[in-house]
Amino acid sequence: MNARLALLSTVDPGIAESEVFRLALQHAVGELGALGGTIHLRGPMSALRLVSATGLPPALTRSWEIVDQEGPLAPARALHRGSGVWVPPEPGEQADPAGWPGTGLAAVPVFSGDRSIGALTVLMGDGGEPTPGHWDFLRAVIAWTEERMAQAPPPSGPSQTELSADRLRQALKEVSVGSWDWNIRTGDLVWDEAALELYGTRPQDYTGRIEDWMRIVHPDDLAPTLDAAGRAIRDHGVYEAEYRVRKLDGTWGWTQARGRATYDEQGEAERMIGVGWDSDEPRSVRDALSRALRHMSDGFLAVDDGWRITFANLEAERTLGFSEEELFGRVLWDLPSARQVPGLEKGCRQAAAEDKPAGFDVHMPDTGRRYHLRLVPGPDGRTLYFTDVTEKRRLAQEREVSESAASERAARIAELTAALAKATTSRDVVEAVAQRVLPPFAAAGLLVQAVEGQRLHNVGAVGYPADFLEAVNSVPWTTHNPAWEAIEADTPLFLSSVREFAARWPDLGHLADRGDKQAWAFLPLTASGHTFGVCVVSFDRPRRLTDDERTLLTTISALLAQALERARLYDAEHTRSRELQRSLLPRGLPDLPACTAAARYLPAGQGMDVGGDWYDIIPLSGGQVALVVGDVMGHGLPEAATMGRLRTAVHTLADLELPPDEIMSHLNDIVGGMGEESYVTCLYALYDSTTQVCSIARAGHPPPALVHPDGTVHFPPLAADPPLGAAEPPFETLELHVPEGSLLVLYTDGLVESSTREIDEGMADLARLLRTAHETGTAADLEHLCDTLTAGLLPAEHQAADDAAFLVARLHALTGDRIASWPLPEDPKAAGQARRHVREQLSAWELDDLTPTTELLASELVGNVVRHAKGPVSLRLLYGADLICEVFDGSLTMPRIRRATDTDEGGRGLQLVTALSQRWGTRYTPTGKCIWTEQPLPGPTGHQAQMSDDALSLMFPKLLPDAEEFDGDLDALPFGDEDL
């Protein structure tokens, strides 16, 4: 007999199957000089399970743990053929054990009775295919293995300890039962969550095949367990088995399984459905359980049906403040520590009434600790566990707070993105970042700077003192500055403390002190590949930002850079637009005797450019003044250009002293020639301080508000003429008598109309504000009144969709004692009478210094009328801020100034008027025309400049050289009117 076979024959019967497999493999490998070997056993369906291996590393056997019985591998071939097989490594063949050493595989089937149940396989070394003697030896080893497998004892579960009346363990143990469903025909296997845990399988490793179960069964227990399953299927009986399975930690634990098969109409088994549970108990349950409970870190109490304590461990003694002997037999609710816990008795009784395990938190008032109490009902009472969860709850609360903070940060970032999308100016961008970034990061300061000409200039800041901002503004480029370093490197720079700041930039320590901050994040601002600034987020305490926070801040800086670059472009464009707007509006309102005024132009909300609203005050002759307000629909440069053209046109037409209706007609023609896209409204008011009459014409514009001296507000009922360009002249003119000191308020629709307010409602609000201002006396200050109207009708917190302009004018009358007028005859004597009236009236007004000049002007104007025009003729003097001399006649022919040569007899009259007056002009009247001159009043000293020789030579070209002897009596000079 072979020595190895003789040695195997000495092995006592009854050894475990795993030992049988180990011995068989060791002697087979040794006898054949093989490299290693494996034993596979047949499992359910078409699978062979690796139950033992020797001489082979796990890296090689891992792919052979489950082998398809119908496959080409050596164990499957031997099982299928029923005899030994040799499988050489043939390249390209599926059976090729690629990557395996050796010359081939020799496999021999293993039988149980007449049924093949597995295979023994050896990996041959340099010897190649086994010799006939080797095959005989392998068959002999297989026969010994089959004999010893039949003699091996069945799997024995853990030793059971008789517990008799000890119900404590039963109440303590909550057995986890897993269910399983095995499709016998397809090999599919379904485990619930409890079964996955019981059989040590992670969800990600679970394939839903019977092979999942075969992998976790102990090799010694696989064959008898499979036999039990097969027997139950054949006998249509109950399947019961106890076997070991591999847990997740690599240890083996005992489980029990129970199931039953289902069959089709032909009696063929279809499925087996069952349950499994953990049966791995210690050898000495009572002692081990008692020791475990006694010293476990959680508190444990056992009580009977009357809530009397029957057991308490050390932790329970410490928590309740009594020893086990003192606690035994006492009712739980009688303990002082239990009575102090709010809701303890109610919660326990409610859980006991439901007769199922329940848990809840309780708070110990005396210690401030928090415990989680779990109550488990049992046959003879209840068990209570209480675990100190103070730290756990604290961590959970902190985690919740952290998650809430993260969620809040995410929400704020979403808000920031939306806010930055709406921001138009640099200030808007900085405010949006400050409001939505500083709070979630618990930051205390924000500073945004931009590079301009190799210097860092402040764009906006929050949370810094003024002296610090002044110190860091306009900082020149340097390598020893954190802001410049972040910009140069285009990389965020995070400093967690003042010490870290001072270590890197000792020369800048004073800046850190002045800024009163202790941690910083310097974030470069880069847009379109260009780094143009830095954003500094600072903290008032040392702060080391997490990686997530740094990533988030870096992302925010990218959003900020894009928004700020866009805002800076807008700011530049906005500045140019505002400058253009200011250049198109009056730089200042004239101070006139006929009226004092104040005005406002209010641009539309953010995102709007220049607009087309305008206002104007145009001083005219004869104590008259024109008040104008207009509105070109839309915003932008074209509208502003249209407004500028119309404002110039109004000035030109007003200087022609045309009546309001004619001016509106000319403007209508101008706008009509601009095209259909132009939409313009306008109101023109002409106030005559000598008559206190205001003539008003409008085209599609809101009526003015007239505030009488008694505070009543009136909107004159003007005809609703269409806008300029669409109207059909003539325009209606309304004449109003305006009492002294009345207010006339002209405005555009943007002041009283919006998407939320109808124009009638806005006009009512305007009237209310004007009445209130009169009652409170604030209307006396027109600038303050403008501020009141702005705040009441266009509050700063509401962005207007349209720009607005309004003009407030207080109208003054030229009193009768400052007006003098006389009719003159239509003959040559009129000039002499005019001179006499001038002398007498100026003497009465104590303006004797103006008498000679005014006499000359009146004489020249009246003489021209007598020679070239027709009556009726009249003379009027107006004593206001200037002295105005007016001559009226019935002719519509306007005088024209021309240049006279030295030999011309005439043509010098208007040149004389130009030389003697500050300004002069003509205007049409309802009965003809008026020629007027304007002279400044004498200075504070009463001195008036003497008449120039040029003026005298123009008037008296034939005067002798001794004209300097002129004594001031104009009637003695040869005017020539005495010859007419």
Side-chain angles (χ1 to χ4, degrees):
M1 174 182 290
N2 184 284
R4 291 184 181 275
L5 294 176
L7 184 60
L8 287 174
S9 65
T10 63
V11 176
D12 294 332
I15 64 173
E17 285 186 349
S18 59
E19 185 67 13
V20 172
F21 298 152
R22 185 183 65 81
L23 292 173
L25 277 178
Q26 285 182 349
H27 286 285
V29 170
E31 181 67 23
L32 273 64
L35 300 177
T38 63
I39 291 181
H40 289 77
L41 292 183
R42 184 197 297 269
M45 307 303 295
S46 60
L48 288 171
R49 159 75 191 282
L50 176 65
V51 296
S52 186
T54 185
L56 300 177
L60 291 180
T61 60
R62 189 172 295 117
S63 61
W64 274 37
E65 285 186 355
I66 301 296
V67 174
D68 188 359
Q69 294 183 19
E70 305 300 328
L73 298 182
R77 289 189 181 187
L79 200 67
H80 183 69
R81 184 180 297 180
S83 61
V85 297
W86 167 250
V87 181
E90 299 178 6
E93 185 178 343
Q94 186 178 359
D96 176 32
W100 284 47
T103 56
L105 295 167
V108 182
V110 179
F111 288 86
S112 176
D114 57 355
R115 179 174 175 267
S116 59
I117 62 170
L120 183 149
T121 307
V122 293
L123 176 63
M124 299 300 294
D126 296 335
E129 184 178 357
T131 64
H134 288 160
W135 286 113
D136 292 340
F137 177 81
L138 289 175
R139 282 188 287 270
V141 169
I142 290 299
W144 177 85
T145 301
E146 292 168 351
E147 178 185 359
R148 288 299 189 270
M149 286 179 64
Q151 297 170 350
S156 59
S159 60
Q160 303 295 323
T161 303
E162 187 63 35
L163 299 181
S164 63
D166 188 358
R167 305 285 182 93
L168 180 59
R169 182 183 61 80
Q170 297 297 332
L172 173 66
K173 189 173 183 62
E174 292 180 58
V175 178
S176 177
V177 178
S179 64
W180 46 266
D181 184 347
W182 171 33
N183 190 315
I184 299 174
R185 293 180 176 177
T186 64
D188 292 338
L189 178 64
V190 178
W191 282 341
D192 63 8
E193 291 184 7
L196 286 171
E197 183 178 358
L198 177 67
Y199 295 131
T201 302
R202 297 182 179 86
Q204 60 268 29
D205 299 331
Y206 174 62
T207 64
R209 300 287 299 171
I210 192 63
E211 287 82 357
D212 292 335
W213 176 80
M214 293 178 63
R215 287 191 181 94
I216 54 92
V217 178
H218 195 283
D220 289 350
D221 303 340
L222 181 59
T225 303
L226 292 175
D227 286 341
R231 188 166 51 254
I233 293 173
R234 290 192 302 270
D235 299 342
H236 290 229
V238 176
Y239 163 65
E240 291 183 307
E242 188 170 17
Y243 50 89
R244 288 162 291 182
V245 298
R246 186 173 57 245
K247 301 294 186 179
L248 285 174
D249 60 1
T251 63
W252 298 93
W254 286 94
T255 63
Q256 283 186 304
R258 182 180 178 87
R260 182 181 290 274
T262 62
Y263 303 87
D264 60 14
E265 296 177 354
Q266 287 75 32
E268 296 292 333
E270 290 182 318
R271 298 162 60 198
M272 179 175 282
I273 303 173
V275 296
W277 63 92
D278 192 346
S279 63
D280 193 5
E281 297 179 357
R283 296 290 179 178
S284 181
V285 175
R286 184 173 295 145
D287 293 342
L289 180 60
S290 178
R291 286 194 302 272
L293 291 177
R294 184 66 179 162
H295 297 281
M296 66 188 297
S297 60
D298 294 343
F300 175 78
L301 283 176
V303 297
D304 60 15
D305 291 336
W307 298 98
R308 286 182 294 271
I309 299 174
T310 60
F311 178 84
N313 70 352
L314 293 175
E315 180 63 19
E317 294 176 13
R318 186 189 64 78
T319 304
L320 298 176
F322 295 96
S323 66
E324 184 178 12
E325 291 77 10
E326 294 172 326
L327 292 172
F328 188 80
R330 296 186 64 176
V331 176
L332 178 61
W333 321 124
D334 293 341
L335 299 175
S337 54
R339 289 197 301 269
Q340 294 176 4
V341 180
L344 176 62
E345 181 177 0
K346 179 181 178 181
C348 289
R349 291 188 181 278
Q350 183 176 351
E354 297 176 356
D355 197 29
K356 62 181 181 180
F360 52 91
D361 280 7
V362 295
H363 182 258
M364 304 295 286
D366 55 341
T367 63
R369 309 295 294 178
R370 183 172 295 276
Y371 291 86
H372 179 74
L373 188 144
R374 181 168 176 79
L375 185 143
V376 180
D380 295 329
R382 300 158 187 88
T383 55
L384 293 89
Y385 305 83
F386 47 93
T387 305
D388 189 339
V389 294
T390 306
E391 188 67 15
K392 182 178 180 180
R393 294 292 184 265
R394 184 187 66 81
L395 294 176
Q397 185 177 6
E398 290 180 355
R399 183 169 58 253
E400 182 179 353
V401 171
S402 177
E403 291 174 354
S404 175
S407 176
E408 182 181 357
R409 282 198 298 269
R412 287 185 177 272
I413 293 308
E415 294 177 8
L416 173 63
T417 303
L420 290 178
K422 297 177 181 178
T424 51
T425 67
S426 298
R427 169 181 280 184
D428 297 337
V429 172
V430 174
E431 289 180 354
V433 174
Q435 293 174 6
R436 293 166 178 83
V437 174
L438 298 188
F441 284 93
L446 175 72
L447 173 63
V448 179
Q449 295 182 300
V451 178
E452 295 179 9
Q454 292 296 303
R455 287 181 176 271
L456 275 177
H457 293 273
N458 296 345
V459 175
V462 173
Y464 284 100
D467 60 336
F468 173 81
L469 295 177
E470 183 177 354
V472 299
N473 191 28
S474 191
V475 175
W477 179 89
T478 175
T479 57
H480 301 290
N481 183 286
W484 279 111
E485 285 193 17
I487 293 173
E488 289 293 320
D490 194 19
T491 303
L493 182 61
F494 300 97
L495 303 172
S496 60
S497 65
V498 175
R499 177 181 298 178
E500 186 177 351
F501 185 100
R504 297 189 61 172
W505 299 281
D507 296 338
L508 299 179
H510 64 286
L511 283 180
D513 295 336
R514 292 175 67 177
D516 195 24
K517 300 296 183 290
Q518 300 187 42
W520 302 264
F522 292 86
L523 309 169
L525 301 177
T526 303
S528 304
H530 169 63
T531 302
F532 64 88
V534 65
C535 171
V536 185
V537 179
S538 56
F539 306 86
D540 56 6
R541 59 184 175 83
R543 173 76 184 276
R544 185 172 296 278
L545 297 171
T546 65
D547 291 342
D548 290 342
E549 289 174 326
R550 294 186 177 193
T551 301
L552 189 56
L553 281 176
T554 303
T555 303
I556 290 173
S557 68
L559 296 175
L560 170 60
Q562 296 292 334
L564 189 59
E565 182 74 359
R566 184 178 65 250
R568 293 175 71 203
L569 293 175
Y570 171 83
D571 288 342
E573 182 66 23
H574 188 69
T575 300
R576 289 192 293 267
S577 299
R578 287 286 179 262
E579 291 175 353
L580 174 62
Q581 187 79 59
R582 285 193 295 269
S583 68
L584 294 175
L585 291 173
R587 294 188 178 275
L589 297 178
D591 186 12
L592 304 174
C595 74
T596 54
R600 292 288 187 275
Y601 171 76
L602 305 169
Q606 294 181 350
M608 301 298 183
D609 292 321
V610 292
D613 290 17
W614 90 92
Y615 58 86
D616 223 333
I617 292 183
I618 306 172
L620 301 175
S621 65
Q624 298 181 106
V625 62
L627 308 173
V628 190
V629 66
D631 183 4
V632 179
M633 183 182 68
H635 304 87
L637 294 178
E639 288 73 15
T642 299
M643 179 263 282
R645 294 169 61 186
L646 292 178
R647 181 169 175 252
T648 301
V650 170
H651 267 269
T652 302
L653 295 171
D655 285 342
L656 294 176
E657 309 261 8
L658 299 177
D661 57 332
E662 291 189 28
I663 288 180
M664 297 302 288
S665 296
H666 286 295
L667 291 176
N668 185 66
D669 294 339
I670 294 172
V671 174
M674 293 180 179
E676 297 181 357
E677 67 277 3
S678 296
Y679 182 95
V680 182
T681 65
C682 185
L683 185 145
Y684 185 93
L686 178 63
Y687 173 65
D688 189 340
S689 62
T690 63
T691 62
Q692 294 183 257
V693 173
C694 185
S695 303
I696 305 173
R698 68 166 180 165
H701 205 84
L706 180 63
V707 185
H708 291 274
D710 61 358
T712 59
V713 181
H714 173 60
F715 291 95
L718 297 170
D721 288 318
L724 295 175
E728 293 291 338
F731 289 84
E732 179 180 344
T733 300
L734 177 67
E735 293 188 349
L736 299 173
H737 178 75
V738 181
E740 163 67 24
S742 297
L743 284 178
L744 188 65
V745 182
L746 283 65
Y747 54 90
T748 60
D749 59 354
L751 183 70
V752 295
E753 186 179 27
S754 67
S755 59
T756 59
R757 181 174 60 191
E758 296 293 335
I759 190 170
D760 293 339
E761 181 184 352
M763 291 171 62
D765 292 340
L766 173 61
R768 174 180 53 81
L769 291 171
L770 291 172
R771 281 194 299 269
T772 302
H774 178 81
E775 293 169 359
T776 59
T778 56
D781 185 348
L782 297 186
E783 291 293 340
H784 187 265
L785 177 60
C786 287
D787 294 337
T788 300
L789 297 180
T790 301
L793 297 173
L794 297 174
E797 61 271 16
H798 296 106
Q799 293 186 3
D802 190 13
D803 48 353
F806 64 92
L807 175 66
V808 180
R810 188 179 304 279
L811 304 180
H812 305 289
L814 192 61
T815 57
D817 60 340
R818 295 296 186 97
I819 304 173
S821 61
W822 307 270
L824 297 175
E826 299 181 38
D827 59 43
K829 297 181 180 179
Q833 294 182 18
R835 290 193 295 273
R836 184 176 68 254
H837 291 316
V838 167
R839 282 196 302 271
E840 295 173 353
Q841 187 61 50
L842 293 186
S843 177
W845 285 341
E846 297 181 354
L847 296 176
D848 300 286
D849 289 343
L850 294 179
T851 299
T853 305
T854 309
E855 282 188 72
L856 283 175
L857 291 172
S859 181
E860 174 62 26
L861 296 180
V862 171
N864 283 339
V865 167
V866 172
R867 289 186 179 90
H868 306 295
K870 62 180 181 179
V873 182
S874 62
L875 170 68
R876 186 170 72 166
L877 295 178
L878 303 178
Y879 177 19
D882 301 290
L883 180 64
I884 298 174
C885 177
E886 298 177 323
V887 176
F888 299 85
D889 64 58
S891 172
L892 297 178
T893 303
M894 290 294 181
R896 293 183 298 115
I897 189 170
R898 64 186 181 87
R899 191 170 192 83
T901 64
D902 294 339
T903 59
D904 288 341
E905 292 290 331
R908 296 179 175 84
L910 292 182
Q911 294 184 34
L912 175 68
V913 171
T914 302
L916 294 178
S917 63
Q918 179 174 273
R919 66 187 186 113
W920 71 277
T922 62
R923 68 175 181 270
Y924 288 104
T925 65
T927 59
K929 70 174 181 294
C930 169
I931 306 176
W932 55 269
T933 65
E934 185 177 290
Q935 302 172 75
L937 297 178
T941 61
H943 175 72
Q944 173 70 17
Q946 295 295 322
M947 188 183 309
S948 66
D949 293 341
D950 291 340
L952 288 174
S953 64
L954 286 171
M955 188 65 187
F956 309 108
K958 298 181 179 180
L959 196 63
L960 296 176
D962 59 354
E964 61 272 9
E965 299 178 0
F966 170 60
D967 60 1
D969 184 6
L970 291 180
D971 286 334
L973 295 175
F975 280 94
D977 51 359
E978 69 278 358
D979 299 331
L980 295 176

